[in-house]
């Protein structure tokens, strides 16, 4: 029994560590974007053809810009051909014809190493998720879904790595970045559910909020998910404007943003109001776990709104961009955790009710 208890505890610990590591990777990814380091390594998985990137441009051939641009184009031609065969002719055309893939990115040692460290963190998370799968094996008998969620997360991390290579080969093509972000949130949600399900017995003994609150939590999570993806698209517009203006006159960038920005900004008011309503309902339950998570949820949404306001009125400070993205991702994670905790708490209450009536 003690051995089994250790196995289950070990899984929960590595699972929690992996979840936190994924959120850290999202933060690092935000830093990569805010510093313009996304193309710091023009190839994948290596960086300038080496597992350890160069520290000076003298270590590269004179025609390195042409060489790596041609490699990206060749890879995109293959990808476009595959998509065309699968019936995605329009997407294939977009990838191959998008002008961004022809932009040559000059070597910058700082940006190269920022992107390289981002990739190292990604590899570390791959190792963590692999260990999560290994430590989930004992659950094949106790609760197979826990194991299969961990396994599916590991497979999706492989897909995420492949998608990362596409992001690089297409020179940060907007649609690939949005899909990359969406998949990261799906992976972390699956891991959260697997970890929570592994100790569901602890949650089933707690007080639960009403089914109506669960509905509102779903609404909040879906809205936040949508806001993150919309925010990613706004960020893509910012990158394009920054490129067109040579990185100058940051105070003018916001005025040049399109409809996505105004939808994203206006929707944040509704999001803030909904959080206040849901928090009020949860506080009435007097469940310690739900209360703590709600505290964190409110802090995150307030930080999100304040960061958004500062970015709009203070020329989009680069330091706030990764913070804005990370807090939004954490907010989604907290909302999802609230859903999980309340689900198992309500299920435990239902089971108790059935036993009493019997």
């Amino acid at each position: 029994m003690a051995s089994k208890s250790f196995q289950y505890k070990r899984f929960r610990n590595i699972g929690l560590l992996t979840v936190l590591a994924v959120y850290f990777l999202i933060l690092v990814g935000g830093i990569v974007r805010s510093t313009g380091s996304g193309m710091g390594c023009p190839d994948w998985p290596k960086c300038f053809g080496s597992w350890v990137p160069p520290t000076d441009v003298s270590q590269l051939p004179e025609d390195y810009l042409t060489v790596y641009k041609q490699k990206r184009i060749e890879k995109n031609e293959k990808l476009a051909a595959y998509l065309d065969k699968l019936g995605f002719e329009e997407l294939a055309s977009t990838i191959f014809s998008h002008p961004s893939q022809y932009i040559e990115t000059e070597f910058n040692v700082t940006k190269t190493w920022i992107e390289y460290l981002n990739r190292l963190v990604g590899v570390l998370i791959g190792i963590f998720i692999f260990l999560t799968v290994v430590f989930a094996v004992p659950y094949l008998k106790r609760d197979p879904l826990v194991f299969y969620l961990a396994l599916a997360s590991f497979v999706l991390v492989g897909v995420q790595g492949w998608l990362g290579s596409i992001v690089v080969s297409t020179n940060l093509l907007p649609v690939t970045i949005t899909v990359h972000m969406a998949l990261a949130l799906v992976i972390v949600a699956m891991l959260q559910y697997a970890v929570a399900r592994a100790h569901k017995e602890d949650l089933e003994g707690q007080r639960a909020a009403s089914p109506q609150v669960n509905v509102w939590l779903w609404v909040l999570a879906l809205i936040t998910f949508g806001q993150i993806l919309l925010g990613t698209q706004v960020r893509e517009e910012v990158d394009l404007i920054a490129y067109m203006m040579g990185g100058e006159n940051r105070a003018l960038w916001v005025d040049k943003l399109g409809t996505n920005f105004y939808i994203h900004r206006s929707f944040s008011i509704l999001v803030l109001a909904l959080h206040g309503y849901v928090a009020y309902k949860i506080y009435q339950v007097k469940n310690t776990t739900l209360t703590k998570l709600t505290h964190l949820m409110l802090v995150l949404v307030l930080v999100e709104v304040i960061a958004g306001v500062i970015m709009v009125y203070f020329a989009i400070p680069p330091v706030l961009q990764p913070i804005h993205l990370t807090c939004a991702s954490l907010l989604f994670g907290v909302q999802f955790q609230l859903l999980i905790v309340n689900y198992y708490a309500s299920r435990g209450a239902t089971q108790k009710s059935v036993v009493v009536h019997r």
Side-chain angles (χ1 to χ4, degrees):
M1 181 67 70
S3 177
K4 285 187 177 181
S5 177
F6 169 74
Q7 289 176 339
Y8 299 145
K9 185 176 180 181
R10 182 179 60 180
F11 168 76
R12 291 198 296 268
N13 289 341
I14 189 63
L16 180 59
L17 178 62
T18 304
V19 168
L20 294 175
V22 173
Y23 283 118
F24 178 69
L25 180 60
I26 291 174
L27 171 62
V28 174
I31 293 172
V32 169
R33 294 293 305 282
S34 65
T35 56
S37 304
M39 289 301 294
C41 295
D43 50 341
W44 192 97
K46 294 183 178 181
C47 185
F48 286 103
S50 175
W51 291 113
V52 179
T55 56
D56 191 86
V57 70
S58 62
Q59 297 173 257
L60 299 172
E62 291 185 4
D63 61 343
Y64 75 92
L65 290 174
T66 303
V67 169
Y68 287 106
K69 181 181 75 172
Q70 187 57 39
K71 286 183 178 181
R72 290 202 309 271
I73 292 174
E74 290 174 0
K75 185 171 184 175
N76 291 344
E77 286 178 334
K78 292 180 181 179
L79 175 62
Y82 290 139
L83 291 173
D84 191 61
K85 289 179 181 179
L86 293 172
F88 299 100
E89 293 90 353
E90 186 176 346
L91 179 58
S93 176
T94 300
I95 289 176
F96 185 58
S97 63
H98 199 280
S100 68
Q101 69 173 294
Y102 301 107
I103 299 173
E104 297 180 354
T105 306
E106 294 188 2
F107 175 77
N108 179 299
V109 65
T110 302
K111 293 182 179 181
T112 292
W113 278 86
I114 289 175
E115 168 58 15
Y116 182 66
L117 290 174
N118 175 46
R119 295 184 184 187
L120 289 181
V121 174
V123 170
L124 182 62
I125 286 172
I127 295 172
F128 283 165
I129 294 186
F130 175 73
L131 290 175
T132 302
V133 175
V134 172
F135 294 160
V137 170
Y139 281 89
L140 274 170
K141 292 183 178 180
R142 181 183 180 185
D143 190 347
L145 184 57
V146 172
F147 171 79
Y148 289 119
L149 282 169
L151 181 62
S153 300
F154 181 69
V155 172
L156 286 179
V157 165
V159 174
Q160 186 78 320
W162 170 79
L163 187 57
S165 73
I166 301 302
V167 170
V168 172
S169 72
T170 57
N171 205 342
L172 312 180
L173 183 68
V175 66
T176 60
I177 297 172
T178 301
V179 175
H180 199 54
M181 185 70 234
L183 189 56
L185 294 176
V186 170
I187 290 171
V188 78
M190 292 174 66
L191 287 169
Q192 279 185 238
Y193 182 57
V195 172
R197 188 179 175 93
H199 65 104
K200 59 187 177 182
E201 293 84 1
D202 298 334
L203 303 175
E204 288 175 346
Q206 301 181 13
R207 293 182 180 179
S210 67
Q212 183 185 26
V213 171
N214 246 19
V215 172
W216 281 114
L217 282 170
W218 272 114
V219 170
L220 277 182
L222 291 174
I223 287 177
T224 301
F225 187 86
Q227 278 284 80
I228 291 172
L229 298 189
L230 190 58
T232 302
Q233 293 177 339
V234 172
R235 181 58 216 269
E236 291 160 3
E237 292 180 22
V238 170
D239 290 344
L240 180 59
I241 292 168
Y243 174 76
M244 293 173 63
M245 299 185 69
E248 303 294 331
N249 301 314
R250 294 183 70 95
L252 302 177
W253 293 2
V254 172
D255 294 334
K256 296 182 178 297
L257 291 171
T259 306
N260 285 340
F261 163 69
Y262 293 101
I263 295 174
H264 183 67
R265 184 180 66 176
S266 300
F267 224 60
S268 62
I269 300 172
L270 174 62
V271 171
L272 183 61
L274 282 176
H275 276 84
Y277 173 75
V278 173
Y280 169 73
K281 289 291 186 180
I282 293 176
Y283 285 145
Q284 291 180 322
V285 179
K286 299 185 188 300
N287 176 318
T288 302
T289 303
L290 290 176
T291 297
K292 289 180 179 179
L293 287 170
T294 303
H295 288 340
L296 181 56
M297 181 181 72
L298 290 178
V299 169
L300 288 170
V301 75
L302 285 173
V303 171
E304 271 295 277
V305 172
I306 292 170
V309 170
I310 293 174
M311 285 198 293
V312 169
Y313 292 102
F314 292 91
I316 316 178
V319 69
L320 281 183
Q321 291 174 314
I323 293 174
H324 192 58
L325 173 62
T326 306
C327 284
S329 303
L330 285 170
L331 179 61
F332 171 77
V334 171
Q335 291 164 348
F336 193 69
Q337 192 68 21
L338 278 165
L339 268 167
I340 296 170
V341 172
N342 197 54
Y343 165 72
Y344 281 116
S346 60
R347 200 176 76 160
T350 302
Q351 291 173 346
K352 286 181 180 179
S353 176
V354 171
V355 172
V356 169
H357 280 88
R358 284 179 179 176

